[in-house]
Amino acid sequence: GWQDAFLTSAHTLSKNDKRLTTIEKSKRLLRLNGIAIDDDKPTLYFSEAILKSAALHLPKEKHLNIALAIGSSEPRKQWGTENFIRLVEVLTNTLKANIILVGGDEDAEMAVNICEHFENPRWIKQLINHPILEAAAVTKFCQVCIGNDTGILNVAAAAGTQAFGIFCGSRPLNPDPLITPIEASETKRGSLQSTVTPEMVIEELIAAGFTK
């Protein structure tokens, strides 16, 4: 209506900008108001003390270190215990990797179930309910982070680790050069249902150059 004449400005978002994601809208607003973004990729830096503490959580075996972000902010984004167990089986058979399970307090039972399935081996470590900065520092020591569409996946990428996101029940919104989205979903009754398999994850890892 006539009110638009008083609300329209070269420094505000247009109607066409409504389709943008929240992050894209924020970037657009900054640029419209003359605020330069030199590097729009988040980067985390750590103190020597944090890095030293984080290194203590890594398995002693000198293999490829892979962090698994097993937590999820919503049930629809959770890939599930059985899928992660199958993934660990394929990872150990294909890449002989050390595994670090990263999650919050609500993921403790899943972490225990995964470890018990493999009879609590030394090459699986649990990093459950640790401060986010410490967990992020641990992922920095990992060559790969694989997990649900959750905060720790993005934090790992910000720490400089190559990440592979399993998008079940959600779509990738903000492109990140260090996050490879893995999605093969179909919509049924209005909700996404994941068809991502552990084998698909391994194919992406090998395509990215991660081999024995």
Side-chain angles (χ1 to χ4, degrees):
W2 60 268
Q3 298 96 331
D4 286 352
F6 296 96
L7 299 175
T8 302
S9 165
H11 305 292
T12 60
L13 297 177
S14 68
K15 290 181 179 179
N16 291 332
D17 291 327
K18 289 182 178 180
R19 59 182 175 76
L20 300 176
T21 66
T22 301
I23 294 174
E24 289 171 336
K25 287 177 182 175
S26 300
K27 292 178 181 177
R28 175 87 174 128
L29 270 175
L30 288 172
R31 292 191 176 102
L32 287 172
N33 286 276
I35 302 173
I37 305 174
D38 295 325
D39 183 4
D40 60 1
K41 184 191 180 308
T43 303
L44 274 176
Y45 299 95
F46 304 95
S47 68
E48 287 299 321
I50 287 287
L51 291 173
K52 192 172 182 178
S53 174
L56 299 176
H57 295 290
L58 298 170
K60 301 301 180 186
E61 290 77 4
K62 295 188 177 183
H63 297 303
L64 186 72
N65 289 322
I66 296 181
L68 294 186
I70 62 174
S72 65
S73 57
E74 303 173 51
R76 67 188 178 89
K77 295 183 178 182
Q78 178 56 259
W79 200 36
T81 303
E82 289 305 315
N83 278 324
F84 277 111
I85 286 175
R86 286 176 54 210
L87 178 60
V88 172
E89 288 174 343
V90 181
L91 285 173
T92 53
N93 291 334
T94 307
L95 301 176
K96 305 298 181 188
N98 294 321
I99 305 296
I100 300 93
L101 304 174
V102 186
D105 187 50
E106 64 278 7
D107 308 308
E109 183 178 355
M110 179 186 291
V112 168
N113 289 338
I114 293 172
C115 288
E116 287 182 347
H117 179 87
F118 296 96
E119 300 180 348
N120 298 303
R122 291 185 304 173
W123 46 268
I124 298 183
K125 293 288 185 181
Q126 296 185 46
L127 194 71
I128 301 299
N129 205 29
H130 281 252
I132 187 66
L133 192 60
E134 186 174 329
V138 170
T139 67
K140 184 175 179 63
F141 284 104
C142 296
Q143 288 74 35
V144 181
C145 179
I146 305 167
N148 298 313
D149 174 21
T150 188
I152 195 64
L153 188 79
N154 295 282
V155 166
T161 299
Q162 181 66 54
F164 295 82
I166 299 168
F167 288 83
C168 50
S170 61
R171 300 286 192 195
L173 294 179
N174 192 43
D176 187 309
L178 283 181
I179 298 180
T180 300
I182 304 172
E183 53 176 338
S185 304
E186 56 184 359
T187 302
K188 287 185 178 180
R189 296 180 181 177
S191 63
L192 287 173
Q193 296 192 3
S194 175
T195 54
V196 175
T197 65
E199 290 73 23
M200 289 170 60
V201 177
I202 293 296
E203 286 175 8
E204 292 287 352
L205 284 174
I206 293 174
F210 294 100
T211 56
K212 289 183 184 180

